[in-house]
């Protein structure tokens, strides 16, 4: 049988035996060029190509010094290089596109067929696809997922023609977007058959002139002429969308022709009126069919969904590998079938470490971080909770003690533990700069991809295949990388460090590095599911896992304790912040009281139905120092303050050294932002404590608004002026730790008794006042009083409740009624994030000036509407854009929304001089027009306390 032939991938396929490159990214001495698209041509010294590609390539990249071996289809060339026989077959992609069939003249090496970009479906402007049997098939797999099954081309073209005819009948210019070479000519021929005249954008016109030179009977076409557009179809490259040329055509209707039209939200992604799934690539069924036609012994996949398609082929019994995912991966090809042993395709150097998939949960590993990334992808593709837990638990058991905590943290979407104060400070601009440097793609292209894809990790998946040189990358190495990146100062230096690392990763690994950097894993994992997976992996009670995680705020450390069976050693420790206990919202005082009664509804001696929410039996009345009725009939009531949740930790060491730190609700150390509180706690307190409380802005006996406090948020160390202009106090409502003793298992009544016994440095640190309520009416009266004091509402607590970090239950409830609503008009719309990146879902809105009627902005909201309503508004706003800046579009003000909010406060952020706290869309008011929206003065009257109305200018 033939001896194996070597194939390598390094920014292009390389055959070292013949020193021949196949569609390389970089300029090479000797290369095969499959077709004349700009991403496949280059200034190569010597090339093999079809005669048609030669002419098209010269039009795009003229180089008379280039030595060309122009072959006709089916012609075997044996005089290009000694021992090399090359035959070209049509690829059906665009005119002249070719596949190369490569054989050794002496017959000692197996044959190889390289498709380049190809399709099997018949087209109008490209040669019909050919094929031949080969031992090795190297094929492109752009659309290598089952969901990509294109309708028949005739049906798609009929829909395009109908779209154009209807537009022309309505005196609207139909504009079709397709690549200037290949797709545009396909469109032109379809329009000609339907009798529709076409005009071509300049870039399309240039390439179509070459087609006419090659085919004298090519359909008639005209170059774009703004004065002669009526009754004609305009064909443009995709880059022309939103161009000034098109903006001048007021009556236009646009459509994108692309295989990606099958993806959800394609119309909004491409910002066109329609999308049609016309592609010059093979879809999934044709990819499978082509493998059957060629009957290869081995398949190597390239581009697009290469890894997924290779996995599908392996499941069908075909030996297949995603070649483009492992640069410099060398495989050997022999005539033996799957599993022959000698000659099997195995990544170089991995004969003992490569694995074959034997079940859905098995892990195909190239490097440790690569295996982690593939687990992430499989989790993302799995919908069942139990299946995800099974996959994760199996994966956790494969990791050693060093890798396990790192993987657990990463799967929670964090580079560092939640209780770890380190912050990476790597923004989107730094990531995009690194991607641009590694991929060689231009700024405009990356910007377009960012607009069309969900996040930057997906952009990396699009631009990095074939552009990196992967090296082994362990989980511990990745942890060291993140630690180094955190210590690196300045965006330029961080970008260089990130670029260096991305350049040595597989594209999928790079995607997961970026996911962790941005904290957006997007694989359908919640922390609770990870806790259950750790419990299943190491045979530990899930409740013990959850409790340890609440106490430590470090899922990686919890994973290690779970494996060693030492979860019970986790305990509340000073300077290791824990998650805050949370209150469940209720809409009315009656609902609050009903919940409280439910909490105590179980018969004596039996646990209540909501015992898990409270985590404790009722304390005796004597344990509640202020109680005047039985504990079952009394709740404790506190005002809910409009500030930021904070934990204050203070220790006194044996040598008298005092340390104080302040932590935010998300466990970040924020001592620098509130250092005057820390200093007062250091000198004015006497004990080692952990306080739970609220930091509020406060001056001269008067509590300021949250908008005042916001001026200090996000600053590591506010300057002296900021401290003086926005003074703060800490309102303490719970005591979690006292002089070395954890109080989490003590009832609230006991924790409050101990808090009341402490000396506090008033007024900077003070206790929250507690009152009692024994009915819904008393809760309502307390709520009215809280709002009169300018506070948000109430927190209602069971005096017998334990402190349960990070949980909501019925032990703590909150009452925050809507103060009022405002009718506003939308003046700006932005593209959303994540799954809403393809719709205009973020709305800036305004009220009107009482005297001039001018619109004044007052807030921004993105929650409250249904997906259908957002889709409807996206279409409406796209047709009513007045100006655009980045993702923000100023829109015609004709959509009225009803906005609910927690409060209105003075603010310089908006032109109304006001801003809303937690605005949310209550309704789309189709019954109102913009003349009926609310005014600035009405909004001022809703402030607490009310602001005087603005005087007439």
């Amino acid at each position: 049988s033939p001896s194996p032939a070597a194939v390598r991938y390094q920014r292009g396929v390389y055959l070292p035996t013949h020193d021949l490159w196949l569609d390389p990214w970089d300029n090479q001495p000797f290369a095969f060029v499959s077709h004349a698209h700009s991403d496949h041509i280059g200034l190569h010294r010597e090339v093999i190509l079809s005669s048609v590609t030669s002419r098209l390539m010269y039009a795009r990249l003229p180089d008379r010094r280039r030595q060309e071996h122009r072959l006709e289809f089916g012609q075997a060339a044996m005089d290009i290089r000694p021992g090399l026989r090359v035959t070209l077959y049509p690829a059906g992609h665009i005119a002249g596109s070719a596949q190369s069939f490569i054989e050794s003249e002496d017959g000692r090496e197996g044959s190889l067929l390289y498709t380049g970009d190809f399709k099997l479906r018949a087209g109008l402007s490209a040669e019909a696809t050919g094929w031949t049997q080969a031992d090795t098939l190297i094929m492109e797999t752009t659309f290598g997922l089952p969901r990509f099954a294109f309708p028949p081309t005739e049906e798609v073209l009929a829909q395009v023609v109908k779209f154009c005819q209807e537009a022309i009948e309505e005196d609207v210019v139909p504009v079709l977007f397709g690549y200037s070479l290949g797709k545009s000519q396909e469109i032109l021929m379809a329009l000609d058959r339907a009798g529709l005249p076409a005009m071509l954008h300049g870039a399309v016109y240039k390439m179509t002139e070459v087609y006419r030179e090659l085919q004298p009977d090519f359909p008639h076409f005209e170059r774009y002429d703004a004065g002669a557009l009526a009754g004609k179809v305009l064909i443009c490259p995709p880059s022309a969308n939103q161009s000034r040329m098109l903006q001048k055509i007021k009556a236009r209707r646009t459509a994108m022709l692309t295989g990606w039209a099958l993806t959800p939200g394609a119309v909004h992604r491409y910002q066109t009126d329609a999308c049609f799934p016309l592609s010059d690539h093979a879809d999934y069924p044709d990819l499978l069919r082509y493998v059957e036609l060629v009957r290869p012994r081995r398949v190597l996949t390239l581009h697009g969904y290469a890894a997924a398609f290779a996995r599908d082929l392996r499941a069908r019994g075909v030996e297949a590998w995603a070649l483009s995912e492992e640069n410099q991966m060398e495989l050997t090809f022999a005539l033996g079938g799957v599993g022959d042993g000698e000659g099997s395709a195995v990544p170089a150097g991995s004969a003992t470490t490569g694995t074959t998939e034997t079940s859905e949960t098995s892990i195909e590993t190239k490097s440790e971080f690569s295996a982690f990334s593939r687990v992430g992808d499989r989790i993302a593709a799995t919908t069942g909770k139990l299946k995800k837990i099974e996959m994760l638990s199996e994966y956790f058991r494969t990791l050693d003690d060093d890798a396990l905590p790192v993987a657990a943290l990463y799967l929670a979407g964090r580079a560092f533990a939640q209780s770890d104060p380190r912050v990476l400070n790597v923004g989107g601009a730094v990531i995009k700069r690194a991607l641009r440097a590694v991929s060689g793609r231009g700024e405009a292209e990356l910007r377009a991809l960012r607009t069309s894809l969900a996040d930057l990790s997906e952009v990396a998946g699009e631009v990095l295949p074939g552009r990196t040189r992967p090296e082994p990358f362990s989980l511990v190495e990745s942890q060291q990388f993140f630690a180094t990146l955190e210590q690196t100062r300045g965006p330029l230096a961080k970008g260089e460090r990130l670029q260096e690392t991305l350049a040595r990763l597989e594209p999928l690994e790079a995607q997961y590095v970026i996911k962790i950097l941005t904290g957006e894993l997007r694989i359908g994992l919640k922390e609770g599911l990870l806790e259950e997976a750790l419990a299943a992996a190491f045979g530990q009670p899930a409740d013990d896992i959850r409790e340890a995680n609440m106490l430590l705020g470090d899922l990686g450390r919890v994973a290690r304790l779970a494996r060693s069976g030492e979860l019970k050693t986790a305990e509340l420790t000073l300077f290791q912040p824990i998650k805050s206990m949370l209150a469940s919202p209720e809409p009315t005082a009656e609902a609050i009281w009903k919940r409280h009664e439910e909490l105590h509804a179980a018969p004596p001696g039996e646990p209540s139905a909501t015992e898990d929410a409270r985590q404790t039996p009722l304390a005796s009345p004597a344990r509640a120092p202020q109680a005047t009725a039985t504990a079952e009939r009394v709740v404790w009531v506190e005002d809910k303050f409009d500030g930021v949740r904070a934990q204050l930790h203070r220790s006194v060491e044996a040598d008298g050294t005092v340390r104080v730190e302040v932590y935010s609700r998300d466990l970040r150390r924020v001592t620098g932002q509130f250092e005057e509180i820390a200093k007062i706690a250091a000198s004015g307190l006497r004990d080692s404590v952990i306080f739970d409380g609220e930091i509020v802005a406060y001056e001269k006996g008067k509590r300021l608004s949250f908008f005042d406090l916001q001026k200090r948020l996000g600053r590591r160390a506010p300057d002296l002026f900021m401290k003086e202009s926005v003074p703060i106090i800490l309102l303490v409502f719970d005591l979690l730790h006292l002089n070395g003793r954890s109080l989490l298992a003590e009832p609230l009544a006991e924790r409050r008794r101990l808090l009341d016994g402490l000396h506090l440095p008033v007024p900077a640190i003070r206790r929250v006042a507690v009152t009692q309520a024994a009915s819904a009416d008393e809760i309502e009266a307390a709520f009215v009083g809280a709002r009169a004091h300018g506070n948000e509402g109430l927190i209602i607590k069971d005096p017998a409740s334990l402190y349960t970090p990070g949980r909501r239950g019925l032990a703590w409830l909150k009452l925050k009624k809507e103060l009022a609503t405002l009718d506003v008009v939308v003046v700006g719309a932005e593209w959303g994030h994540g799954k809403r990146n393809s719709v205009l879902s973020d709305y800036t809105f305004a009220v009107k000036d009482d005297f001039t009627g001018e619109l004044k902005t007052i807030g921004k909201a993105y929650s409250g509407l249904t997906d259908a309503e957002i889709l409807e508004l996206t279409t409406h706003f796209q047709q009513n854009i007045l100006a655009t800046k980045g993702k923000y579009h100023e829109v015609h003000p004709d959509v009225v929304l009803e906005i609910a909010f927690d409060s209105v406060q003075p603010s310089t952020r908006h032109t109304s001089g006001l801003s809303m706290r937690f605005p949310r869309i209550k309704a789309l008011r189709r019954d109102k027009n913009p003349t009926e929206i609310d005014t600035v003065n009405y909004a001022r009257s809703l402030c607490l306390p009310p602001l005087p109305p603005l005087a007439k200018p």
Side-chain angles (χ1 to χ4, degrees):
S1 62
S3 60
V7 175
R8 296 175 184 164
Y9 187 85
Q10 185 177 332
R11 296 165 63 85
V13 178
Y14 179 58
L15 307 181
T17 302
H18 306 292
D19 195 21
L20 172 63
W21 289 86
L22 309 178
D23 280 334
W25 288 88
D26 305 314
N27 300 328
Q28 299 294 348
F30 185 36
F32 165 69
V33 176
S34 64
H35 64 284
H37 275 155
S38 58
D39 58 338
H40 283 256
I41 61 179
L43 295 172
H44 311 305
R45 190 183 313 154
E46 183 180 2
V47 296
I48 302 171
L49 73 179
S50 72
S51 298
V52 173
T53 296
S54 171
R55 178 64 189 91
L56 291 168
M57 184 174 172
Y58 184 80
R60 291 197 143 182
L61 194 66
D63 183 2
R64 297 190 182 279
R65 297 170 299 174
R66 182 168 53 225
Q67 180 183 354
E68 294 185 350
H69 302 281
R70 293 185 288 272
L71 305 182
E72 301 303 323
F73 292 125
Q75 170 190 345
M78 294 175 286
D79 56 351
I80 299 174
R81 283 283 192 280
L84 172 67
R85 180 187 294 122
V86 179
T87 308
L88 300 189
Y89 291 89
H93 179 60
I94 65 171
S97 60
Q99 306 171 74
S100 57
F101 180 61
I102 299 170
E103 305 168 279
S104 296
E105 290 182 358
D106 56 14
R108 289 187 298 176
E109 292 187 349
S111 59
L112 182 150
L113 178 63
Y114 169 73
T115 66
D117 292 346
F118 81 105
K119 73 174 187 295
L120 285 180
R121 300 179 316 283
L124 301 178
S125 60
E127 302 84 356
T129 310
W131 60 84
T132 186
Q133 194 280 325
D135 298 316
T136 298
L137 171 62
I138 303 179
M139 63 188 303
E140 68 106 352
T141 52
T142 299
F143 293 104
L145 291 182
R147 60 187 169 97
F148 293 110
F150 301 140
T153 302
E154 298 77 12
E155 291 182 12
V156 177
L157 291 176
Q159 292 172 356
V160 174
V161 167
K162 183 180 178 182
F163 171 88
C164 296
Q165 289 172 334
E166 290 178 349
I168 291 173
E169 288 171 3
E170 297 172 21
D171 294 325
V172 174
V173 177
V175 182
L176 304 180
F177 295 113
Y179 289 118
S180 57
L181 174 57
K183 188 74 64 68
S184 289
Q185 290 74 37
E186 190 83 359
I187 298 168
L188 178 60
M189 295 187 75
L191 295 177
D192 181 69
R193 288 187 174 188
L196 291 174
M199 272 194 170
L200 309 185
H201 179 282
V204 177
Y205 184 86
K206 177 182 177 182
M207 298 313 303
T208 311
E209 283 276 70
V210 181
Y211 270 70
R212 181 156 57 186
E213 174 190 321
L214 295 169
Q215 303 177 38
D217 59 345
F218 199 77
H220 173 75
F221 55 90
E222 302 175 45
R223 190 170 189 139
Y224 171 70
D225 179 355
L229 263 178
K232 297 184 177 71
V233 181
L234 179 59
I235 303 176
C236 297
S239 58
N241 196 6
Q242 307 299 324
S243 67
R244 185 171 298 178
M245 182 192 91
L246 288 190
Q247 295 295 331
K248 292 179 180 179
I249 306 172
K250 299 302 181 184
R252 66 183 186 276
R253 193 169 297 164
T254 59
M256 181 71 71
L257 279 67
T258 172
W260 302 110
L262 294 182
T263 59
V267 168
H268 305 296
R269 180 178 302 113
Y270 292 110
Q271 300 183 45
T272 55
D273 297 303
C275 276
F276 297 104
L278 183 68
S279 177
D280 45 21
H281 294 267
D283 64 357
Y284 182 82
D286 274 356
L287 291 174
L288 292 178
R289 180 168 164 245
Y290 196 71
V291 173
E292 293 175 357
L293 292 170
V294 175
R295 293 177 288 115
R297 300 189 185 280
R298 241 166 241 105
V299 177
L300 301 180
T301 57
L302 286 165
H303 312 309
Y305 295 98
F309 189 72
R311 283 197 296 270
D312 283 359
L313 289 180
R314 289 198 297 275
R316 296 167 184 267
V318 178
E319 188 166 347
W321 301 95
L323 184 59
S324 57
E325 290 213 350
E326 183 145 9
N327 286 6
Q328 298 179 330
M329 182 177 75
E330 188 167 316
L331 299 99
T332 57
F333 308 102
L335 292 174
V338 176
D340 280 343
E342 185 177 352
S344 294
V346 181
S350 63
T352 60
T353 60
T355 62
T356 302
E357 290 183 318
T358 56
S359 71
E360 291 184 15
T361 56
S362 67
I363 299 160
E364 177 191 9
T365 179
K366 296 179 181 178
S367 76
E368 198 172 53
F369 197 84
S370 176
F372 164 80
S373 304
R374 280 162 172 71
V375 167
D377 261 17
R378 292 181 184 178
I379 293 295
T382 303
T383 55
K385 174 183 173 182
L386 294 180
K387 190 63 177 177
K388 287 185 179 184
I389 291 173
E390 177 188 344
M391 293 170 69
L392 284 170
S393 61
E394 180 179 329
Y395 173 59
F396 286 144
R397 286 192 292 268
T398 69
L399 301 174
D400 61 28
D401 287 344
D402 292 327
L404 173 63
V406 182
L409 270 183
Y410 290 173
L411 287 166
R414 301 188 186 98
F416 307 120
Q418 194 170 14
S419 56
D420 191 320
R422 289 178 293 176
V423 179
L424 286 166
N425 287 322
V426 176
V430 171
I431 297 172
K432 283 187 282 189
R433 192 181 305 120
L435 287 176
R436 195 164 63 244
V438 177
S439 69
R441 302 291 184 94
E443 173 67 27
E445 185 175 2
L446 284 180
R447 191 185 307 115
L449 284 170
R450 181 62 189 92
T451 301
S452 64
L453 298 173
D455 55 38
L456 284 170
S457 70
E458 289 196 10
V459 175
E462 287 285 330
V463 303
L464 292 184
R467 297 287 182 162
T468 65
R469 297 185 177 185
E471 301 172 8
F473 194 51
S474 71
L475 285 167
V476 171
E477 283 179 303
S478 71
Q479 190 179 42
Q480 293 167 348
F481 159 69
F482 286 121
T484 302
L485 193 63
E486 187 272 336
Q487 294 172 358
T488 303
R489 294 294 169 256
L492 291 178
K494 284 181 182 287
E496 290 174 0
R497 181 77 64 180
L498 178 59
Q499 174 188 336
E500 292 169 1
T501 299
L502 295 181
R504 64 186 186 94
L505 300 179
E506 297 174 19
L508 185 63
E509 290 178 309
Q511 284 187 260
Y512 273 82
V513 164
I514 292 171
K515 284 175 180 287
I516 295 164
L517 276 175
T518 59
E520 296 179 342
L521 220 57
R522 300 182 190 278
I523 60 173
L525 270 187
K526 293 184 177 179
E527 197 156 308
L529 194 147
L530 283 170
E531 292 169 339
E532 292 186 50
L534 287 170
F538 305 117
Q540 299 294 325
D543 282 345
D544 289 356
I545 298 277
R546 282 190 284 270
E547 183 176 355
N549 194 26
M550 290 174 189
L551 292 172
L552 300 177
D554 184 345
L555 195 63
R557 185 175 167 194
V558 171
R560 186 174 283 167
L561 291 176
R563 168 175 275 169
S564 62
E566 299 176 326
L567 290 167
K568 293 297 184 182
T569 63
E571 59 182 17
L572 180 62
T573 306
L574 279 162
F575 310 111
Q576 199 163 277
I578 62 171
K579 298 177 182 178
S580 300
M581 184 171 177
L582 305 174
S584 298
E586 291 294 341
T588 64
E590 290 76 14
I592 295 278
W593 191 251
K594 182 180 179 181
R595 288 295 193 186
H596 178 64
E597 289 180 327
E598 289 176 2
L599 193 64
H600 300 283
E606 295 183 18
S608 70
T610 54
E611 187 74 25
D612 62 331
R614 198 161 46 91
Q615 299 293 306
T616 180
L618 285 172
S620 65
R623 299 296 295 275
Q626 304 177 31
T628 57
T630 63
E632 290 85 349
R633 301 301 301 168
V634 171
V635 292
W636 286 11
V637 177
E638 302 170 4
D639 278 17
K640 186 180 188 308
F641 298 95
D642 195 8
V644 294
R645 191 80 173 264
Q647 280 178 41
L648 184 143
H649 292 229
R650 180 186 190 273
S651 72
V652 182
E653 305 300 327
D655 62 358
T657 303
V658 175
R659 179 187 174 190
V660 176
E661 300 288 359
V662 182
Y663 300 94
S664 64
R665 178 172 174 165
D666 58 1
L667 311 189
R668 290 183 300 109
R669 185 171 58 206
V670 291
T671 312
Q673 294 180 38
F674 308 115
E675 60 182 20
E676 63 264 52
I677 293 291
K679 289 179 179 178
I680 291 171
S683 60
L685 290 172
R686 301 169 183 169
D687 302 275
S688 294
V689 297
I690 298 178
F691 287 153
D692 188 6
E694 192 95 358
I695 292 177
V696 299
Y698 195 87
E699 182 179 24
K700 298 178 181 177
K702 177 183 177 183
R703 191 182 59 79
L704 305 178
S705 74
F706 178 80
F707 297 96
D708 294 303
L709 183 62
Q710 269 188 321
K711 299 173 185 176
R712 297 189 54 161
L713 301 183
R715 297 170 180 260
R716 293 190 177 183
D719 54 34
L720 181 61
F721 173 77
M722 187 61 66
K723 296 176 189 176
E724 292 176 349
S725 63
V726 188
I728 55 174
I729 62 172
L730 173 64
L731 298 173
V732 181
F733 49 72
D734 218 327
L735 177 64
L736 312 183
H737 191 277
L738 178 62
N739 296 328
R741 173 189 168 199
S742 171
L743 303 179
L744 299 183
E746 296 291 337
L748 174 61
E750 175 63 9
R751 301 199 305 273
R752 180 68 194 214
R753 185 186 69 79
L754 294 170
L755 176 61
D756 288 343
L758 298 180
H759 167 78
L760 300 185
V762 177
I765 301 176
R766 61 181 67 178
R767 299 172 189 83
V768 171
V770 177
T771 59
Q772 296 180 34
S775 68
D777 289 342
E778 291 183 11
I779 293 173
E780 181 66 26
F783 176 80
V784 173
R787 294 308 293 255
H789 299 149
N791 293 325
E792 285 189 316
L794 297 178
I795 298 292
I796 298 93
K797 300 178 179 179
D798 181 348
S801 59
L802 306 187
Y803 195 95
T804 53
R807 292 190 187 178
R808 295 187 191 275
L810 300 186
W812 288 16
L813 302 170
K814 62 182 176 182
L815 178 60
K816 290 198 318 179
K817 298 179 184 178
E818 291 176 0
L819 176 64
T821 62
L822 283 175
D823 289 335
V824 300
V825 66
V826 179
V827 294
E830 296 177 58
W831 298 102
H833 302 276
K835 68 177 184 179
R836 288 186 171 178
N837 75 305
S838 61
V839 291
L840 293 167
S841 62
D842 298 12
Y843 310 125
T844 298
F845 41 80
V847 290
K848 64 183 177 182
D849 186 282
D850 294 73
F851 308 108
T852 66
E854 184 181 354
L855 296 178
K856 303 285 188 178
T857 58
I858 193 171
K860 178 180 176 181
Y862 52 85
S863 63
L865 294 180
T866 66
D867 288 345
E869 287 172 328
I870 293 172
L871 200 60
E872 175 190 350
L873 288 181
T874 297
T875 301
H876 174 80
F877 288 140
Q878 282 187 300
Q879 297 170 353
N880 291 275
I881 293 173
L882 301 178
T884 297
K885 184 177 182 180
K887 285 194 171 186
Y888 179 85
H889 302 288
E890 180 187 346
V891 298
H892 184 68
D894 59 0
V895 173
V896 176
L897 302 176
E898 183 181 4
I899 302 294
F901 49 88
D902 286 1
S903 62
V904 177
Q905 297 288 349
S907 172
T908 58
R909 186 182 307 170
H910 298 291
T911 56
S912 64
L914 303 169
S915 187
M916 295 176 169
R917 173 93 155 124
F918 298 131
R920 50 208 176 270
I921 303 169
K922 188 172 184 180
L924 174 58
R925 296 302 301 265
R926 303 176 190 273
D927 57 323
K928 291 194 173 184
N929 62 58
T931 63
E932 300 176 87
I933 65 173
D934 288 314
T935 66
V936 174
N937 271 338
Y938 176 68
R940 289 174 67 85
S941 73
L942 300 178
C943 291
L944 288 175
L947 294 173
L950 292 170
K952 186 174 183 178

